[in-house]
Amino acid sequence: MSAAIFDVARIGPGEGSEPPRSRLRSDAPAQTLDGTWQFRLSASVLDIPDDTWLDGVAGNWAELGVPGHWNLNGFGLPAYSNVQFPFPIDPPHPPDRNPIGDYRRTFELDPALETVAAVADSRILLRFDGVESAADVFLNGARLGSTRGSRLTHEFDVTDLVRPSGNVIGVRVAKFSDATYLENQDMWWLPGIFRSVALLARPAGGIDDAFVTADYDPTTGRGELAVRVATDGEVRVRIDELGIDMVVRGTGPGIVDTTLAPALIDAGEVSPWSAETPRLYEAVLSTAAERVSLRVGFRRVASAGGILTVNGRPVTLRGVNRHEHDPEHGRVHSEALARRDIELMKQHNINAVRTSHYPPHPDFLDLADEYGLYLIDECDLETHEYEYVEWRGNPSTDPTWREAFLDRIRRTVTRDRNHAAVILWSLGNESGAGSNITAMADWVRGHDPSRLIHYEGDWSSRDVDVYSRMYPSHEEVRRIGEEALHPVAFDATADEARRRGLPFILCEFGHAMGNSPGGTKEYWELVERYPRIAGAFVWEWVEHGIAVRDETGRRLIRYGGDFGESVHDHNFVIDGLVSADRELRPGLVDYAAIIAPVVFEIAADRREAAVINRYDHIDLSHLRVQWRRERDGVVVAEGELEVAAAARERSVVALPSEARDDRRAPEVADVLTLEAALRGETSWAAPGHVVARGQHVRTGAPVREDGTAPAAELFDLRARPFVLGTARVIDPPRLGIWRAPTDNDRAAGWDEPDLPPYAERWATARMDRMLTRLRGRERDDVALTAWTRDGTPSYDAAIDAVWSWRAVEDGLLLHLDIEPHGPWEVDWARLGIDLTLEGAPVGLDFAGYGPGPSYPDTDSGVHFGWHRVGASDLVTPHVRPQESGSRRGVRDATIRTETGAVRVRVLRGGSTDAGVAVTVSPWDRRTLADTTHASLLPAPTATHLSIDIAQSGVGTATCGPGVLPRYRVPAFAASVRLLFSPA
Ligand code: IPT
C-alpha cells in the first residue's frame, strides 16, 4: 500500500504513541533495530514516489545506517543557522523544498520477545529515542502514528501488528515540519533517525513505569524513598546495601499514576549523593514477571532565601552548556565520547552541565549520576526565530500550540526523573514568555516537586525557581548579586519582589568562540562574592565543527556556509572550550583554574598560606598538597604540607622556612608553587592529577652595562639578512600594534553596541598597514642607533621610536624607547616588536607564564615556570585562523627555527617590569587574518616572532561584553631593554 498523505504542517504533538514513561533498565527482552536500513530521499513532499514502499523491500533503494543523519552520510549536505530561520516564518508550514527521507527494513521478531508476547496482556512496544524532525511510522502496512520532538522518546504499541517473521517497518521522516518552529536551536540542521530504534517486550504483570525519588534529610542523615511503580498488584523493592526489602502496591499497569501518593520507605542512615560524592545505591524493583534496576542517589535540592542548596548546603554550579556533537556523526551518541566529555569536564573542575538545548541521550544521565555532575535537563524547545519578527505570533503565547509544549515537557521530565543528577528542569531556551511556558511550569511543579524549575526566556521569572540570565555584563551581575542583600523597594511589583528572593544563575556566559573567553575571572569573583549567585555555565562545551575529506583524503573541519547554505551563520557554531575532536582550547585551562575547588593565597613573606576549600560538601582529605621552590629554573626545596579545611572553609598553614626566598634577588625568578593533587584514583583521573595551583613569584631582571667588549664579527649590523643568535633575520624588527583579529575582535561588544568591532576600527585606522620612515641613524663598529617613525596611511597618528643596538660579549643589546606621536583615537591591539626569522618554528623554551598561551584577561590557567613548547603547541589551531599563542610574563626565551635559534632576555631598566609577551607563529598576521579555515593555511616556511610590551585582552564580544577597559591598550609610551644571544 502507499502511505497516507504525509502531514508535516499540523500543530500539536505526534499522534498514536504511548504516553511517556521513565527510562528503566529491565530484564524484559528487547531487540535492537539499529543497523542498516533501506533509504531513499525525495527533494520534497511533492516528489515522494507514489508507490507501494511499505509492501516489501524490493526496489532499488540505497542503504543508510541507523542511528545516523542522512545529510552526514551522502544524502544532501548539512546546514548551520542560529537564530535566523532557514525558511519563511509561515507556521506551521515548512517550504516545499523540504527533503523527505524514507527508511524501511525487514526484521524477524526475536523469539524471546515472541515468547513474552504469547502471554495474554503482554505487549510489544516500538521505541524511537530520537528522530529529527517529524516522522510517520508504519509497521506491516499500518500507520502507527507520528512523532514530534526530535530529541524525545516516542513509543508505539505494535502488539497486534508485529509478526514472528517478515515484518516490514517504514519510517517517513521530514527534515523540516511544524516541529521545526519549536526546535530552532543554535546548531546544524541534521535530519534522520539519529538515536536508537528498539522493540521492547512488556510482560503482563511487569513494571511498565516507575517514579522513584530519593530524599536526603541533612539534619538527620536519613534517606527516604518515595516510590510509585506502574504495575498491577504488588512490587518488591530491594536495596540490599541498605537492608531494604519491602513490598509496595503498584499504581496500576501502564504509566505511573502521580495523583496517588507514593509509598514511602525509610532508608535509614545513608551516604548522600552530590556531584562531589556521587554515591549511588543499586535498587531493584521486581514482580513475578519483570525485574528492573535503578541506581538511586539520595539528595535534596532546595532554595530558600535566595540560596540554592543540595543536601542543605549552598552549592556553586561550575558549569558548561553541552550540545551533543561528534565531528563525523553529528548528534549521534557514543558512550565513549560522552565519557570523554565528562572525564574532561571533571578533570577541569566542572561540576554542572546544562543539556543545551534538549534532553541528551538517555545514557548520558546514567553517566552524570555515576561521575557526579549536576544537570539542568532542558526540554527540546526553542522558538528563537520569532526574534526576527519581534516575537509576533510566538507559539509560546498561542493556545493552539499548548499541547505541543506540554507534550515536550512531559516527555522530558518523565524519561529522566529517576536520576539524581538532575537538579533543575529547564523548560527550554529562547522561546520568549507566554501562557504555554506557564502551563509547562505548572505541569512540572505538579509532577515533580523534588526539583527546581529553570527558564531564562522570561525575565519576570514568574514561572521559575531560579532567576537566570545569559551574557549579562559584569556590572549587571554585580547589581543582581547586590539586590538580594537589600530590602525590596516599597513600589516593587509582586513579580519583582518574588524574583529578588530567587537564587541567580548565568545559564550562559563566557562565549568560548575562538581566542576567548576573556573576563571570566571577573565574573567568577562575583559568583564567589554574592551568596545569591549559584553558578554559571560557559557557552559552550564543544565546537560543532564538521569533518569532511578533501579529494586527497585529508580531513578538514567545516563550519556554516561551507556546504553552500544560502542562510547561515558562518563560524558562530565554532565556540567551544574543546574542539570537535576534543582538543583542549586554552579557554578550558583558564576556566579550570578560575573555578578550582581549592584556592591558595600565599603571603608576600612566604611565612604562611591561606587554603580556601571551595568544595560545597567535602573536606580536602582526598588531596595531597605539595610545595616546590624553584630558583632560576632549579628546584631548591620541596615538600608536602598538611592542610585541613572543611567544605567552604578557609584555613591557614605555616610554610617551611626553605620555601622562603633569599634576600638575594634571583636572576630571573624565585617561585614558590603549591599544588593540590588527587591522592587516589577516581573514575575521571589518575592519582597526582592537579586540581589547583597557587604561586608566589618574585622576579628579578639581569642588569647589563652598555659597552662590554665588542664582538662585532658575531653581529654584523650591516649584513642583510643579519643574524640574531644563530637565527637569520629575514624581516628586520619593526613596531607592531595590530593583531590578526580574533572572533571577538570581529564582533561589536554588547557594552559598545553602537561602535564598530575593534577589527574594523583597527582596519579603519590602518594599524594593519603602518609604514616606517627612518628619521636618522648613527653608527660605529659596535653600536647602531636608529630613529624611526611608524605612521598610518592617510592619517597623522604615528609612533616614534629610538632603537639603540650595541654588540656585547655574548650578544646584542637593544634599548628601545617608544613614544606615540599625534592623535590615537582607537586603542591598540598590542605594542611590540615583530621580526621574521628564516625557517619554520620548531619550538620555544621560556621562563614565564605558561605552558599554554594567555592574554591579559585569560591569565588564570598559566603559571610561572621554565617551560618547553613544541612546534605543534606554539599557536592554537583555531578552526578560523586568528591571533593566538602569546606567552606572557616572559623574561628569558629561546626561539628555535629549522635553521637557527635565538635567546632573548629581558633586562632591568625598561617599562616592562612584568616581562614581555612572546608569540612564535608559523604564519604572519596578514595571512592569519585573511585565511578562513585552518586547513587553508600554507605550509610554514618562516618563524614570525613578536615580543610584545602590551597586548589587549580578548573579551567575549561575540556574545557578551567586549574587553574590559582595564585590559585595553590605549596609545602609550614604553621602553624595553633586551639582550639577544645564541641559545
Ligand atoms: C544564545 C543561545 O541560547 C545559544 O543557543 C547560543 O546561540 C548562544 O547564544 C550563542 O552562541 S542566544 C544569544 C543571541 C544571546
Side-chain angles (χ1 to χ4, degrees):
M1 65 166 274
S2 87
I5 302 274
F6 188 27
D7 187 358
V8 292
R10 42 177 296 276
I11 295 180
E15 349 112 275
S17 61
E18 296 290 291
R21 56 193 192 101
S22 286
R23 186 60 155 226
L24 299 170
R25 228 173 310 141
S26 157
D27 67 353
Q31 176 180 354
T32 180
L33 294 180
D34 291 351
T36 305
W37 290 49
Q38 289 192 325
F39 183 75
R40 75 171 174 198
L41 191 66
S42 306
S44 158
V45 78
L46 305 171
D47 296 339
I48 304 174
D50 182 19
D51 62 4
T52 56
W53 70 292
L54 294 167
D55 285 354
V57 291
N60 195 16
W61 284 41
E63 289 187 336
L64 182 62
V66 168
H69 302 283
W70 71 64
N71 58 353
L72 294 184
N73 288 281
F75 300 92
L77 294 169
Y80 163 61
S81 63
N82 175 16
V83 180
Q84 54 177 335
F85 218 37
F87 55 83
I89 297 189
D90 176 22
H93 304 279
D96 289 347
R97 279 175 65 97
N98 175 25
I100 306 294
D102 286 336
Y103 288 77
R104 69 179 181 186
R105 64 168 284 173
T106 57
F107 65 90
E108 314 280 288
L109 188 62
D110 188 321
L113 276 86
E114 210 182 316
T115 311
V116 175
V119 179
D121 295 332
S122 291
R123 300 192 302 157
I124 294 184
L125 301 182
L126 170 62
R127 181 176 73 196
F128 294 88
D129 277 325
V131 184
E132 178 167 332
S133 80
D136 272 11
V137 182
F138 303 84
L139 183 65
N140 297 330
R143 180 168 181 275
L144 301 173
S146 61
T147 67
R148 291 295 187 278
S150 299
R151 273 68 56 173
L152 300 169
T153 293
H154 300 269
E155 292 178 326
F156 297 92
D157 188 338
V158 297
T159 318
D160 297 335
L161 286 168
V162 72
R163 307 190 279 248
S165 64
N167 294 287
V168 181
I169 178 172
V171 186
R172 175 159 283 173
V173 183
K175 177 174 179 184
F176 297 126
S177 68
D178 45 80
T180 309
Y181 287 85
L182 308 187
E183 297 180 3
N184 188 24
Q185 291 96 339
D186 179 9
M187 58 193 193
W188 295 92
W189 298 101
L190 297 176
I193 306 178
F194 75 97
R195 286 186 189 156
S196 290
V197 184
L199 288 163
L200 310 173
R202 299 299 326 129
I207 296 170
D208 286 327
D209 189 19
F211 188 175
V212 178
T213 306
D215 180 48
Y216 175 76
D217 183 341
T219 57
T220 62
R222 297 178 79 86
E224 185 183 66
L225 294 166
V227 180
R228 294 184 183 103
V229 182
T231 191
D232 218 1
E234 291 184 325
V235 58
R236 186 168 166 201
V237 179
R238 277 176 44 198
I239 300 182
D240 289 348
E241 223 184 316
L242 294 171
I244 294 174
D245 189 351
M246 313 248 317
V247 169
V248 306
R249 172 147 297 283
T251 70
I255 58 165
V256 158
D257 182 350
T258 50
T259 65
L260 298 178
L264 299 179
I265 299 174
D266 181 355
E269 272 203 32
V270 295
S271 300
W273 184 96
S274 71
E276 293 162 12
T277 58
R279 178 71 162 91
L280 297 170
Y281 293 89
E282 190 81 17
V284 177
L285 311 178
S286 57
T287 65
E290 187 175 14
R291 194 187 134 99
V292 149
S293 59
L294 296 171
R295 288 186 304 175
V296 167
F298 293 89
R299 55 117 187 81
R300 180 180 289 178
V301 184
S303 140
I307 312 290
L308 177 68
T309 60
V310 171
N311 303 333
R313 304 187 64 93
V315 287
T316 301
L317 306 176
R318 303 167 164 88
V320 289
N321 282 275
R322 176 181 181 266
H323 267 280
E324 294 182 311
H325 184 76
D326 175 304
E328 263 80 25
H329 308 290
R331 284 187 281 280
V332 177
H333 165 86
S334 87
E335 185 184 326
L337 198 58
R339 280 192 189 272
R340 176 116 186 88
D341 277 351
I342 295 179
E343 288 170 13
L344 284 174
M345 288 174 190
K346 296 282 292 189
Q347 286 164 16
H348 291 88
N349 300 326
I350 288 160
N351 70 357
V353 168
R354 173 173 176 235
T355 70
S356 53
H357 299 301
Y358 42 80
H361 188 279
D363 292 351
F364 186 77
L365 284 283
D366 287 314
L367 297 176
D369 288 345
E370 180 183 307
Y371 284 93
L373 271 184
Y374 299 119
L375 296 184
I376 301 182
D377 193 347
E378 190 150 273
C379 185
D380 192 355
L381 176 74
E382 176 160 340
T383 67
H384 211 163
E385 67 279 12
Y386 282 85
E387 195 174 281
Y388 267 73
V389 294
E390 281 135 15
W391 297 97
R392 278 190 306 278
N394 179 16
S396 303
T397 63
D398 178 349
T400 56
W401 288 92
R402 186 185 148 103
E403 275 311 309
F405 279 60
L406 282 171
D407 183 68
R408 283 168 186 265
I409 193 69
R410 282 192 203 110
R411 288 183 190 279
T412 301
V413 171
T414 309
R415 192 195 72 174
D416 295 345
R417 66 191 170 193
N418 294 330
H419 288 278
V422 179
I423 63 166
L424 288 147
W425 298 115
S426 176
L427 305 177
N429 186 53
E430 292 281 14
S431 302
S435 57
N436 295 337
I437 301 285
T438 304
M440 292 168 94
D442 290 346
W443 182 86
V444 176
R445 225 176 281 290
H447 186 86
D448 179 20
S450 76
R451 281 139 175 139
L452 306 180
I453 300 177
H454 169 269
Y455 177 62
E456 194 273 350
D458 179 1
W459 295 355
S460 79
S461 303
R462 73 180 77 113
D463 297 319
V464 295
D465 303 311
V466 293
Y467 178 31
S468 175
R469 292 285 303 278
M470 50 174 79
Y471 312 106
S473 66
H474 297 83
E475 175 50 25
E476 188 163 12
V477 174
R478 194 193 60 76
R479 262 202 321 271
I480 293 170
E482 200 65 38
E483 68 178 13
L485 305 176
H486 306 291
V488 179
F490 72 96
D491 56 349
T493 63
D495 274 349
E496 165 71 10
R498 187 178 163 280
R499 188 170 58 71
R500 284 251 206 134
L502 300 178
F504 176 70
I505 67 165
L506 293 97
C507 69
E508 295 177 24
F509 86 120
H511 198 248
M513 183 173 179
N515 187 343
S516 196
T520 313
K521 175 177 69 188
E522 286 74 12
Y523 279 111
W524 214 263
E525 282 164 11
L526 298 167
V527 172
E528 291 291 330
R529 182 179 330 152
Y530 293 105
R532 178 195 199 179
I533 307 182
F537 295 72
V538 165
W539 186 269
E540 67 180 307
W541 172 247
V542 58
E543 298 175 356
H544 307 207
I546 292 206
V548 298
R549 300 262 168 200
D550 70 7
E551 322 74 55
T552 66
R554 202 160 62 110
R555 191 166 171 277
L556 313 171
I557 297 292
R558 293 297 196 215
Y559 54 74
D562 289 341
F563 298 99
E565 305 106 291
S566 65
V567 172
H568 69 84
D569 285 293
H570 307 270
N571 62 328
F572 205 61
V573 80
I574 309 289
D575 55 356
L577 293 176
V578 296
S579 74
D581 290 318
R582 272 61 178 181
E583 304 150 307
L584 312 188
R585 296 297 190 214
L588 178 59
V589 179
D590 191 49
Y591 192 43
I594 290 168
I595 62 176
V598 180
V599 176
F600 296 109
E601 289 170 358
I602 303 173
D605 60 7
R606 296 194 186 171
R607 283 173 189 276
E608 57 183 39
V611 181
I612 302 163
N613 177 356
R614 295 204 296 197
Y615 287 105
D616 299 317
H617 299 279
I618 58 176
D619 63 20
L620 301 181
S621 51
H622 66 296
L623 299 175
R624 165 171 296 145
V625 176
Q626 280 170 311
W627 65 271
R628 180 176 69 241
R629 183 173 153 221
E630 285 160 287
R631 200 176 157 84
D632 293 331
V634 178
V635 176
V636 291
E638 57 189 325
E640 194 167 330
L641 289 178
E642 282 308 313
V643 303
R648 291 197 165 222
E649 298 272 306
R650 170 195 182 100
S651 70
V652 174
V653 288
L655 295 172
S657 56
E658 310 90 286
R660 281 171 221 151
D661 53 348
D662 320 316
R663 297 249 164 71
R664 196 166 45 89
E667 173 91 352
V668 173
D670 187 306
V671 183
L672 174 65
T673 304
L674 304 190
E675 276 174 357
L678 294 177
R679 283 185 192 278
E681 170 107 25
T682 64
S683 57
W684 45 270
H689 166 80
V690 174
V691 305
R693 191 177 274 121
Q695 282 195 322
H696 180 266
V697 180
R698 183 175 170 223
T699 52
V703 187
R704 294 297 297 259
E705 297 307 323
D706 291 0
T708 349
E713 73 282 5
L714 266 181
F715 305 108
D716 182 359
L717 293 172
R718 278 152 293 202
R720 281 290 179 275
F722 73 93
V723 172
L724 280 180
T726 58
R728 286 156 64 87
V729 178
I730 53 181
D731 285 333
R734 45 182 309 217
L735 295 183
I737 56 171
W738 184 67
R739 68 183 178 198
T742 63
D743 290 317
N744 287 322
D745 293 335
R746 291 174 189 271
W750 293 14
D751 52 331
E752 296 184 320
D754 302 328
L755 289 175
Y758 267 96
E760 215 175 299
R761 287 190 249 170
W762 293 333
T764 307
R766 311 200 169 177
M767 293 184 196
D768 57 337
R769 58 202 67 181
M770 292 210 300
L771 292 170
T772 309
R773 178 170 68 85
L774 183 64
R775 301 163 68 213
R777 187 156 73 152
E778 276 173 13
R779 67 189 313 160
D780 58 30
D781 271 356
V782 294
L784 166 79
T785 301
W787 287 262
T788 57
R789 171 166 293 173
D790 283 272
T792 51
S794 267
Y795 296 103
D796 52 358
I799 306 173
D800 291 343
V802 187
W803 306 72
S804 306
W805 298 91
R806 175 175 293 271
V808 292
E809 202 166 359
D810 54 346
L812 196 55
L813 275 175
L814 170 64
H815 286 197
L816 174 62
D817 296 291
I818 300 164
E819 181 99 49
H821 171 88
W824 282 99
E825 277 151 25
V826 179
D827 295 338
W828 297 341
R830 62 191 183 90
L831 172 65
I833 306 169
D834 300 335
L835 60 155
T836 311
L837 307 176
E838 180 192 83
V842 297
L844 166 68
D845 302 341
F846 69 101
Y849 287 87
S854 64
Y855 289 78
D857 57 352
T858 58
D859 66 346
S860 301
V862 290
H863 58 275
F864 198 99
W866 284 261
H867 302 287
R868 193 145 240 237
V869 181
S872 58
D873 293 323
L874 290 171
V875 296
T876 308
H878 289 295
V879 176
R880 183 199 176 118
Q882 54 195 277
E883 186 83 15
S884 76
S886 151
R887 266 61 181 196
R888 301 179 59 249
V890 175
R891 297 171 174 277
D892 186 350
T894 298
I895 297 97
R896 286 176 281 117
T897 79
E898 288 168 323
T899 58
V902 57
R903 180 171 177 197
V904 187
R905 273 171 284 179
V906 181
L907 307 183
R908 177 154 330 146
S911 62
T912 49
D913 282 349
V916 295
V918 171
T919 305
V920 178
S921 170
W923 298 287
D924 66 87
R925 293 189 164 84
R926 173 55 58 199
T927 302
L928 288 169
D930 291 348
T931 306
T932 58
H933 293 74
S935 51
L936 299 175
L937 285 168
T941 55
T943 297
H944 302 274
L945 168 64
S946 293
I947 301 166
D948 287 329
I949 297 167
Q951 265 271 8
S952 167
V954 295
T956 179
T958 45
C959 206
V963 176
L964 290 170
R966 79 189 83 152
Y967 299 123
R968 295 185 190 157
V969 183
F972 74 115
S975 59
V976 64
R977 307 276 177 264
L978 300 173
L979 171 63
F980 296 88
S981 54

